[in-house]
Amino acid sequence: MSLTNPPSSSGSLSRTRVGNLKRSLQATVDDAIESRRPGGYTSKVRVRDRYNIVGFISSGTYGRVYKAVGKNGKKGEFAIKKFKPDKEGETIQYTGLSQSAIREMALCTELSHANVVQLEEIILEDKCIFMVFEYTEHDLLQIIHHHTQPQRHAIPATMVRSIMFQLLNGLLYLHTNWVLHRDLKPANILVTSSGAIRIGDLGLARLFYKPLNSLFSGDKVVVTIWYRAPELLMGSRHYTPAVDMWAIGCIFAELLSLRPIFKGEEAKMDSKKTVPFQRNQMMKIVEILGLPRKESWPGLASMPEYSQLQSLVLHRQPSHFHRGSNLEGWYQSCLKNGGYTSTSGAGTPGADGFDLLSRMLEYDPSKRLTAEQALEHPYFTNGGAISGNCFEGIEGKYPHRRVTQDDNDIRTGSLPGTKRSGLPDDSLMRASKRLKE
C-alpha cells in the first residue's frame, strides 16, 4: 500500500459527537449498555470469558497491561489495559477512576483512524475497568533501541519517512477533531507487524474546542520533559496543537540520531505542587537552537517564566547562549554519523528533512508547522510514493514486544494485593501457599 496524500476529513467527528465526549463517565456507560454499540462499554461480561491471558506487558501508575488472545469465536491478539481504581490510605477505600482514565475511555470510544490505536471494547468487572485494544508488536522506542544494539546502525531513510508520514496522518486526524494528545514520545507510538503506525496512550489527551477553563488549570504539567515545547517550559497558560508538533519534531530528530535531541533533567514539583521552571531542559534546547528572541517570538516577554530565562542568561554565559541556532550543524553531523547523504532523495532525509525539522522545532508556536502543512512538505512530496508499511524493503526482523509470565493474573480480586508500585505483592501469594500446605 502506498500513501501519497493526506487523508480527507470525511472521517472527522461531527460537532455533536465532539460534544458527547464531555458527558460524564456514568452517562456514557449507561448509553453504551442500552445501545450495545461496538467499541462501547460492556456490562456483565467477564474478561476471561472472552480472552485468554498470554502474559504481562507492563505496569504503571494507571495499572497494568496484558497480552491476550481472543476465544469463543473472537479472533486475534489484544492488549488489555487494567485500570487500578484510585484509593486512599493503606486501607482499600475506592474513590473512583482517575481523570486521565476517564478521558482516555471517552476519547478512544469515539475516535477511529488507521493511525490511531484501535479500541475493541471496554469491560466493567467488579471494581475494575478493562480497555481492550488491538495488539501491536512494536513501539518506536523499542525500534530505536534495536538500532543501537549491538552497535549503532541508522534507521533506513525510507522507513523514517513512512513513520513520520503515518504519524502526522494520525495527528492531523486528532487535531481536526479538536483533540490534543499532549504526551507524544517514541514509547507511545505503536507499530504493527505490518508496519502500520498507531498513535497510542491518550491518557493525557483532551479536547481543546471551547474549553470552560484554560488548559493549564486542569493539567499543570503535560508532555514528557524531553518532548515538552518551549511555550510549556515558559509557563504558558494557553497553548495550542503546536505543542504536539514540537514533540513530533523531537521524535523525528530521535529517529535520525537514535537519541533524544533535548535530553534534560526534570526538576520535580515540590510538596505544594508548585510547577518549577525547567532550567536544565531549557538549557538543552538553547544549546542547539540558540536563545529565543523577542524579535522572532513576539509573545516571549509576556510568558510567566520569562524572568527565569533572563536569569538563566545572566548567571550562566557559555558561548552558545550568544550565538544563533546550531540546528543545521547538529543535523549535518547526524546525517554523517548515520551514513545518510546530504542531498535530498528517497534514500536520505537530505535538505528537505532539515527544513521540515527546523519548521517543527520553531520557538514561536504560531510559526510552527501544523500537521496538515507538514504532510504537504517537500520531504514527503519529493522522492516518490510513501509506503504504508514502514518495514517495506527492510531486511531482517525487529524483535517483538517483551511479554513475561511474571504477572499474568488479570483477575480483579488481585488488586488489594498490589503494592503501591503497581507490581504484584508476592508476599500475599506466599502466605496463600503456606495456608494450602
Side-chain angles (χ1 to χ4, degrees):
M1 179 178 71
S2 291
L3 302 174
T4 55
N5 293 300
S8 68
S9 59
S10 58
S12 300
L13 301 179
S14 67
R15 196 169 285 186
T16 300
R17 292 183 72 200
V18 170
N20 289 344
L21 298 185
K22 299 178 182 178
R23 294 180 303 177
S24 68
L25 174 62
Q26 188 58 54
T28 309
V29 171
D30 292 343
D31 287 352
I33 290 174
E34 290 174 9
S35 64
R36 306 291 191 202
R37 57 189 175 89
Y41 297 82
T42 305
S43 178
K44 298 180 180 178
V45 171
R46 303 192 75 82
V47 174
R48 288 187 178 273
D49 293 341
R50 293 196 180 187
Y51 304 96
N52 283 319
I53 308 304
V54 175
F56 171 74
I57 299 174
S58 63
S59 66
T61 54
Y62 54 82
R64 304 172 190 158
V65 180
Y66 299 85
K67 181 180 179 181
V69 293
K71 66 179 185 180
N72 296 329
K74 194 173 184 70
K75 297 181 180 180
E77 295 182 323
F78 304 90
I80 302 181
K81 191 172 187 177
K82 179 174 83 168
F83 287 103
K84 293 185 298 185
D86 286 350
K87 54 182 183 287
E88 295 179 348
E90 293 300 326
T91 57
I92 307 300
Q93 294 182 343
Y94 295 105
T95 60
L97 285 167
S98 67
Q99 185 182 55
S100 64
I102 293 171
R103 278 184 190 157
E104 185 172 12
M105 286 185 283
L107 287 170
C108 287
T109 300
E110 297 285 345
L111 297 169
S112 178
H113 188 269
N115 297 124
V116 177
V117 68
Q118 184 63 49
L119 175 68
E120 292 290 327
E121 64 176 332
I122 298 174
I123 296 177
L124 311 173
E125 184 178 333
D126 297 337
K127 294 184 177 69
C128 279
I129 289 187
F130 301 87
M131 292 184 74
V132 182
F133 294 96
E134 61 171 332
Y135 181 74
T136 56
E137 290 80 2
H138 317 280
D139 61 55
L140 284 193
L141 185 63
Q142 175 196 29
I143 287 173
I144 291 168
H145 178 73
H146 174 74
H147 278 267
T148 65
Q149 306 294 325
Q151 58 186 9
R152 304 182 81 82
H153 54 296
I155 300 175
T158 53
M159 182 173 169
V160 173
R161 192 162 168 254
S162 173
I163 290 171
M164 288 298 298
F165 189 92
Q166 294 187 65
L167 179 51
L168 286 162
N169 222 9
L171 190 60
L172 172 60
Y173 172 78
L174 293 180
H175 288 175
T176 299
N177 291 295
W178 304 100
V179 176
L180 290 178
H181 188 281
R182 303 197 304 175
D183 197 20
L184 291 169
K185 57 184 178 181
N188 289 343
I189 310 302
L190 309 175
V191 188
T192 69
S193 59
S194 59
I197 301 298
R198 308 274 201 262
I199 296 175
D201 199 341
L202 275 73
L204 274 179
R206 66 163 295 171
L207 294 169
F208 62 97
Y209 174 69
K210 291 186 177 179
L212 296 176
N213 299 302
S214 75
L215 298 176
F216 177 83
S217 65
D219 303 280
K220 292 180 172 55
V221 178
V222 293
V223 189
T224 302
I225 187 71
W226 297 342
Y227 310 90
R228 195 174 299 166
E231 62 267 32
L232 296 176
L233 296 173
M234 295 297 293
S236 177
R237 284 353 186 208
H238 301 278
Y239 50 87
T240 68
V243 301
D244 285 343
M245 290 305 298
W246 176 275
I248 295 291
C250 294
I251 292 171
F252 185 25
E254 192 165 342
L255 288 171
L256 296 175
S257 67
L258 304 180
R259 57 169 65 91
I261 183 172
F262 307 124
K263 191 176 180 180
E265 296 178 7
E266 183 171 16
K268 301 296 184 182
M269 286 195 293
D270 60 23
S271 58
K272 296 180 181 179
K273 301 296 182 183
T274 302
V275 180
F277 174 62
Q278 297 295 342
R279 185 176 300 268
N280 187 262
Q281 181 64 24
M282 195 70 209
M283 284 183 59
K284 296 296 183 184
I285 295 173
V286 169
E287 285 175 5
I288 293 177
L289 299 186
L291 273 172
R293 305 289 181 183
K294 291 186 290 184
E295 296 77 19
S296 57
W297 185 1
L300 178 63
S302 62
M303 293 286 182
E305 302 290 3
Y306 180 63
S307 60
Q308 292 278 10
L309 181 65
Q310 290 179 306
S311 172
L312 184 67
V313 177
L314 289 173
H315 290 90
R316 301 190 63 152
Q317 298 183 340
S319 59
H320 58 251
F321 270 38
H322 301 282
R323 70 184 182 210
S325 172
N326 188 42
L327 182 61
E328 186 167 10
W330 178 92
Y331 183 78
Q332 293 301 331
S333 175
C334 179
L335 293 190
K336 183 179 179 180
N337 293 337
Y340 303 115
T341 61
S342 57
T343 57
S344 294
T348 179
D352 288 338
F354 170 71
D355 189 70
L356 176 63
L357 179 63
S358 62
R359 289 173 182 268
M360 290 194 290
L361 296 182
E362 167 66 52
Y363 270 127
D364 185 348
S366 67
K367 298 175 183 175
R368 213 170 291 153
L369 281 185
T370 65
E372 184 173 15
Q373 290 168 341
L375 284 166
E376 296 170 352
H377 190 275
Y379 174 70
F380 297 116
T381 58
N382 295 340
I386 300 170
S387 176
N389 173 6
C390 71
F391 298 133
E392 187 172 292
I394 307 300
E395 295 181 2
K397 297 274 187 181
Y398 286 89
H400 284 197
R401 189 185 302 279
R402 183 169 176 262
V403 178
T404 72
Q405 301 301 313
D406 296 344
D407 172 27
N408 61 358
D409 184 5
I410 200 170
R411 292 173 302 172
T412 56
S414 68
L415 271 178
T418 301
K419 292 181 178 179
R420 286 193 173 276
S421 63
L423 297 174
D425 187 346
D426 56 2
S427 63
L428 293 185
M429 296 167 65
R430 290 196 300 269
S432 174
K433 185 177 180 180
R434 284 197 300 271
L435 285 174
K436 288 180 181 179
E437 290 172 350

